[in-house]
Amino acid sequence: MTDIEHPETFHGLPVHTLPGPGQASGGALPDAGSVAWRLESAWQGELTFATLWQYFVDTVDTTRVRALLIGPWWQEEYEPFAPVLDLLVGHADRFPALRALFLADVVSEECELSWLVMCDLTPVVEAFGELEELTARGCGAQGDRPSLGLRPVRHKSLRSLTFESGGLPSGIVRAVGASELPALERLELWLGVTEYGGDTTVADLAPLLSGATFPALCHLGLQNSEIQDEIAAAVASAPVVARLESLSLSMGTLGDEGAEALLSGQPLTHLTSLDLHHHYMSDPLVDRLRRLLGPDRVNGEVDEVEYWDPEEDDDRYVAVSE
């Protein structure tokens, strides 16, 4: 999970990791509504996530908790996420103030992204009707493990939805596109690669690109894809772009073909930000994009692929897969 770190803030609140039972030091816990609470049970001896969760709901005034992050929930060996989801859903009525949820705040030192095989997240979306921000990290199915899943939903409050994945199943993309999310302002999808379950096609993105699905959308991220040129070509004529404030096609295999499509497509000068970092464009194409939008509005840094030479090596890769 290249360059992924634990967030220091979430939903505008500082992140506070809850000490396990008997591990608290340095005084009382912070006010329940003043921090984003992070729970992790990995490598804490015999402490299971179920025990940590019970301690959390017994110790913290959960009626005032506004943001919650779920870190590593296993002990020594990776375990399925479904039991954690069951705890969240089963206690939903104890979190009336919850507005932000981060499922699987896990970095590579703890578990590679490709091993974070999740489950159907629909129940948690349905259980928290006032949720405004949802981030989920994980890949598609690996072997006989269950896949990250979502069914089409209607949610009146959700403003920000992010799936961070090295292989996002196309079923997730289609379910998002079929959902009714009238308040959604930010949508970010890390599409990933086929090796890890990322089988999304441009056709699967059509409802998102139509401009008719999410009336409040102002930021769209279609990122980390091995078909980034094809996505850029579709975006170049997509109706949704005209009303966006920012657009991200970063982290993938974007090259000159995709850049040419963007330059020859609809106007992009209304965008306040066009994020193309981690790309395979030549310098002349990057310069043309910067001249079009202005240097302060195009993030086109090559980042860690700066050594790539198209004359010698055409093996492009996405920023986050394994």
Side-chain angles (χ1 to χ4, degrees), residues 53 56-57 62-63 65 68 91-99 128:
W53 177 263
F56 175 52
V57 297
T62 58
T63 65
V65 170
L68 179 61
H91 291 84
D93 61 338
R94 300 185 64 168
F95 292 85
L98 190 68
R99 297 295 182 267
F128 294 96

Side-chain angles (χ1 to χ4, degrees), residues 53 125 144 199 253 260 265 274:
W53 177 263
V125 178
D144 59 355
D199 57 352
T253 60
E260 289 282 9
L274 176 61

Side-chain angles (χ1 to χ4, degrees), residues 43 45 50 64 81 101 103 113 142 166 198 241 254 266:
W43 311 292
R64 301 183 59 246
F81 188 75
L101 187 57
L103 304 178
L113 184 61
Q142 294 287 308
V241 173
L254 183 70
Q266 63 186 304

Side-chain angles (χ1 to χ4, degrees), residues 45 47 69 306:
L47 178 67
L69 303 91
E306 59 186 0

Side-chain angles (χ1 to χ4, degrees), residues 55-313:
Y55 172 70
F56 175 52
V57 297
D58 288 344
T59 306
V60 175
D61 181 2
T62 58
T63 65
R64 301 183 59 246
V65 170
R66 298 161 55 197
L68 179 61
L69 303 91
I70 304 300
W73 57 88
W74 56 93
Q75 291 175 279
E76 297 299 328
E77 299 294 330
Y78 179 84
E79 297 176 2
F81 188 75
V84 176
L85 192 85
D86 291 342
L87 289 171
L88 284 167
V89 172
H91 291 84
D93 61 338
R94 300 185 64 168
F95 292 85
L98 190 68
R99 297 295 182 267
L101 187 57
F102 192 145
L103 304 178
D105 173 25
V106 179
V107 299
S108 60
E109 290 81 3
E110 297 161 337
C111 182
E112 294 294 351
L113 184 61
S114 60
W115 283 91
L116 288 176
V117 182
M118 305 288 281
C119 59
D120 185 356
L121 303 184
T122 311
V124 80
V125 178
E126 295 175 336
F128 294 96
E130 301 299 321
L131 200 66
E132 297 176 358
E133 181 175 356
L134 175 63
T135 296
R137 183 175 289 162
C139 276
Q142 294 287 308
D144 59 355
R145 295 184 178 184
S147 175
L148 175 67
L150 181 73
R151 299 188 303 275
V153 295
R154 189 185 191 288
H155 198 289
K156 65 180 177 62
S157 301
L158 198 62
R159 297 179 182 275
S160 177
L161 178 61
T162 300
F163 283 97
E164 298 182 352
S165 180
L168 192 65
S170 58
I172 295 285
V173 177
R174 292 194 298 271
V176 171
S179 294
E180 294 182 51
L181 306 172
L184 192 69
E185 298 173 354
R186 296 183 58 86
L187 176 63
E188 187 172 307
L189 303 176
W190 295 12
L191 300 171
V193 300
T194 54
E195 182 179 358
Y196 294 115
D199 57 352
T200 298
T201 66
V202 170
D204 296 320
L205 299 172
L208 308 180
L209 298 176
S210 71
T213 305
F214 306 127
L217 196 68
C218 56
H219 172 80
L220 178 62
L222 301 174
Q223 304 164 232
N224 200 50
S225 175
E226 60 187 350
I227 59 167
Q228 206 73 59
D229 279 338
E230 295 177 44
I231 291 172
V235 165
S237 60
V240 71
V241 173
R243 72 155 187 269
L244 295 178
E245 296 176 6
S246 55
L247 173 66
S248 180
L249 302 175
S250 64
M251 304 172 62
T253 60
L254 183 70
D256 284 0
E257 180 183 347
E260 289 282 9
L262 293 173
L263 286 163
S264 61
Q266 63 186 304
L268 301 175
T269 52
H270 65 288
L271 295 174
T272 60
S273 173
L274 176 61
D275 187 355
L276 305 175
H277 83 272
H278 186 105
H279 65 80
Y280 295 84
M281 296 181 291
S282 61
D283 289 342
L285 268 296
V286 175
D287 290 341
R288 286 174 61 190
L289 283 164
R290 285 184 169 146
R291 286 197 300 270
L292 175 66
L293 273 75
D296 295 334
R297 288 191 287 170
V298 178
N299 179 0
E301 297 305 321
V302 181
D303 295 345
E304 66 268 34
V305 296
E306 59 186 0
Y307 61 83
W308 181 78
D309 185 346
E311 295 184 357
E312 297 181 4
D313 184 6

